[in-house]
Amino acid sequence: MIFDFCIPTLFGIESVVSGELRRLGASDVGGETGRVRFRGDEYMLAKANLWSRCGERVLLILSSFDAATFDELFDGVYNIPWEEYIPRTGEFPVSGYSRQSALTSVPTCQSIIKKAVSKRLGDRYRISRLPETGSTYQIRFSIVKDKAEIYFDTSGEALHKRGYRAKANEAPLRETLAAAMVDFARFRGNREGDSLLDPFCGSGTIVIEAALKAANMAPGLRRTFDAEKWEFIDKSVWRSVRDEAVSLIRHTKAPMLGSDIDEKTVTLAYSNAKKAGVDHLVKFSVADAMELSSFKTTVVTNPPYGMRISDGDEAEELYKSIASKLTDESELYILSGHPAFERVFGRRADRKRKLYNGMIPCGLFYYYRK
Ligand SMILES: C[S@@+](CC[C@H](N)C(=O)[O-])C[C@H]1O[C@@H](n2cnc3c(N)ncnc32)[C@H](O)[C@@H]1O
């Protein structure tokens, strides 16, 4: 069966997710602000979940219709053949959002959708009360400019939750953003001379994501997805996509290094790398970035932001120190929310990109080899 899908993304990394999906063999891939649409079968559903390093979740689009009134919303939802997807016992929570639309109350939209699905399933299964004791079929909706779109969330937990970062340090970078930074840095880890350093590694996210990529390990291999329990997707699909992912893991010798001034954080980075299955590929150490020698590698990092005024001077000192370590053998990709980053750093970036780290608008500044 061919489905339409959509993957919400962090702002600024839509092109990376589009590239991932094309490489996976998806068709009709198209990026919009904050999301990427594509088409594919149930294998593509499983592959997108298992392999997308930068997407947030894989939504299966069930229907799209005009909904300026609650009646239109109810009818549009009731018309979806829910019984083809949700079994008699399936649980179907509903969540979503509404923007620039006549239907402004999200809780009311949520309860209308819940009622419409319950009515349809109740009519088809000839029961008045659905037990909802079985697997979860999370329904999501968006209503934008009076157009409703109804989805199944095939992922369950968001894709950035790979399962390796149980405990978080103070300012961890989202895994999907770290993976996108590694992609922007064109680090693959399988070419002669490839190496990567994060001198402010914190919990190790950038280095771990680089290692997963270098070893061609699917980032979702160590977690499960809601759609693995769905009856309308054959279990053999997931089995074959998982088996293939295991067979595609490759050997890599690229040095992938992280260091941080905080010893506890470095211990955490190691334990995260172990959970991710890449501890044999990475090296973390305790070091003050100001005291490191000149860089001779690809540096991908997000130093402290200095958002609080008292932190500002220290962050600026760090930026200047990093600038002084660049050589003609190094390349730097640095994420910063500092409003005058390039001035403080003392050099205009060769290229920059607008990104968001959570709610914080940032820039990823590229400094190529001199
Ligand atoms: C924004 S956090 C990095 C978060 C990291 N990307 C992660 O995913 O967990 C900045 C890190 O810089 C470290 N740091 C601050 N000053 C430092 C210095 N002088 N040398 C090395 N690390 C430093 C902090 O301990 C903190 O872990």
Side-chain angles (χ1 to χ4, degrees):
M1 205 162 19
I2 298 296
F3 301 105
D4 288 306
F5 296 100
C6 146
I7 295 193
T9 73
L10 295 172
F11 291 107
I13 63 174
E14 299 85 351
S15 61
V16 183
V17 176
S18 297
E20 289 181 334
L21 291 164
R22 285 196 190 96
R23 284 192 295 279
L24 288 174
S27 56
D28 303 323
V29 179
E32 304 164 9
T33 307
R35 56 159 99 202
V36 176
R37 293 173 184 273
F38 63 103
R39 304 192 84 206
D41 60 9
E42 41 276 81
Y43 285 89
M44 189 47 58
L45 181 160
K47 278 188 186 175
N49 273 297
L50 215 65
W51 282 98
S52 176
R53 296 184 193 279
C54 305
E56 292 304 313
R57 52 181 74 250
V58 181
L59 302 177
L60 189 161
I61 305 172
L62 291 163
S63 184
S64 178
F65 52 89
D66 292 331
T69 66
F70 288 127
D71 283 346
E72 282 177 336
L73 181 62
F74 185 95
D75 292 344
V77 173
Y78 184 86
N79 287 337
I80 297 170
W82 294 100
E83 64 284 359
E84 290 176 16
Y85 307 110
I86 304 179
R88 187 179 281 265
T89 56
E91 186 198 21
F92 50 99
V94 179
S95 67
Y97 63 88
S98 167
R99 280 191 212 125
Q100 299 169 274
S101 297
L103 302 180
T104 48
S105 165
V106 170
T108 312
C109 293
Q110 229 163 313
S111 89
I112 299 265
I113 294 172
K114 183 84 188 179
K115 271 191 199 133
V117 182
S118 306
K119 172 104 179 63
R120 170 97 189 198
L121 290 175
D123 289 350
R124 301 299 145 130
Y125 292 133
R126 297 176 190 283
I127 41 177
S128 56
R129 223 171 157 265
L130 295 151
E132 295 202 51
T133 49
S135 302
T136 306
Y137 294 72
Q138 172 74 52
I139 297 168
R140 295 194 184 270
F141 67 90
S142 70
I143 305 176
V144 179
K145 294 188 182 156
D146 298 329
K147 188 145 194 113
E149 207 156 62
I150 310 291
Y151 321 94
F152 269 141
D153 182 343
T154 71
S155 306
E157 279 216 288
L159 295 183
H160 72 264
K161 299 200 172 154
R162 325 280 206 214
Y164 68 71
R165 207 169 65 182
K167 285 174 273 163
N169 55 324
E170 234 179 68
L173 191 63
R174 194 179 276 199
E175 294 81 340
T176 41
L177 182 54
M181 288 168 66
V182 170
D183 195 90
F184 288 133
R186 293 164 300 159
F187 177 79
R188 290 208 224 120
N190 63 347
R191 291 168 301 196
E192 190 63 33
D194 273 355
S195 65
L196 180 138
L197 165 73
D198 178 0
F200 301 91
C201 71
S203 58
T205 321
I206 294 172
V207 179
I208 293 170
E209 290 298 324
L212 288 170
K213 184 172 182 184
N216 202 32
M217 277 168 81
L221 206 50
R222 295 188 166 220
R223 56 161 281 176
T224 57
F225 305 93
D226 272 7
E228 282 182 83
K229 299 199 195 97
W230 293 357
E231 288 180 11
F232 71 93
I233 296 170
D234 207 284
K235 300 276 176 287
S236 64
V237 171
W238 286 97
R239 251 195 320 274
S240 94
V241 172
R242 281 191 175 277
D243 287 350
E244 183 194 41
V246 171
S247 75
L248 289 171
I249 295 174
R250 68 182 168 222
H251 184 65
T252 174
K253 278 203 208 140
M256 289 168 277
L257 314 171
S259 53
D260 198 285
I261 200 163
D262 178 15
E263 197 176 339
K264 266 200 236 128
T265 280
V266 171
T267 311
L268 182 62
Y270 255 124
S271 110
N272 287 344
K274 197 161 193 292
K275 282 196 211 112
V278 295
D279 49 320
H280 59 300
L281 301 176
V282 301
K283 261 203 190 114
F284 293 112
S285 54
V286 180
D288 181 344
M290 307 260 242
E291 286 167 15
L292 294 176
S293 50
S294 310
F295 300 140
K296 292 185 176 145
T297 177
T298 300
V299 178
V300 185
T301 194
N302 81 307
Y305 283 179
M307 288 295 288
R308 285 170 291 164
I309 289 167
S310 59
D311 292 347
D313 284 351
E314 200 189 333
E316 294 186 4
E317 281 311 305
L318 286 176
Y319 292 161
K320 284 190 187 125
S321 165
I322 298 169
S324 72
K325 295 182 197 312
L326 295 184
T327 68
D328 52 9
E329 290 170 78
S330 60
E331 243 171 53
L332 172 68
Y333 300 82
I334 184 165
L335 185 72
S336 172
H338 194 296
F341 175 80
E342 287 167 285
R343 183 183 52 72
V344 178
F345 193 77
R347 211 178 118 189
R348 271 178 83 91
D350 292 311
R351 198 175 162 191
K352 56 192 159 191
R353 243 172 219 285
K354 262 198 198 158
L355 296 174
Y356 275 82
N357 185 9
M359 298 304 284
I360 308 170
C362 293
L364 180 64
F365 299 89
Y366 298 33
Y367 293 91
Y368 297 135
R369 277 162 220 268
K370 279 187 201 149

